[in-house]
């Protein structure tokens, strides 16, 4: 999904540069030497969501 809105279109910004895409998540994960899954988990935990096992 444009991962910030949940539309199930992970690469689509819907004409709005403020939306976060999977491409940006992948770039951020690569910059931190981690998987996109770990980066997503860290983001979720940073906003107070419980993730993982």
């Amino acid at each position: 999904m444009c991962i910030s809105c949940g539309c199930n279109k992970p690469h689509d910004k819907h004409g709005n540069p403020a939306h976060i895409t999977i491409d940006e998540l992948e770039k951020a994960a690569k910059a931190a030497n981690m998987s996109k899954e770990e980066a997503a988990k860290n983001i979720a935990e940073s906003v107070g969501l419980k993730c993982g096992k």
Side-chain angles (χ1 to χ4, degrees), residues 3 10 14 34:
I3 60 177
H14 310 297
M34 64 177 61

Side-chain angles (χ1 to χ4, degrees), residues 5-47:
C5 83
C7 67
N8 260 349
K9 296 179 181 176
H11 303 280
D12 192 348
K13 283 193 173 272
H14 310 297
N16 185 339
H19 285 292
I20 301 166
T21 64
I22 197 76
D23 301 318
E24 291 165 317
L25 176 66
E26 289 170 344
K27 286 178 190 174
K30 185 176 180 180
N33 295 312
M34 64 177 61
S35 70
K36 69 178 179 239
E37 293 81 11
E38 184 67 20
K41 179 178 172 276
N42 291 341
I43 292 168
E45 289 176 355
S46 293
V47 296

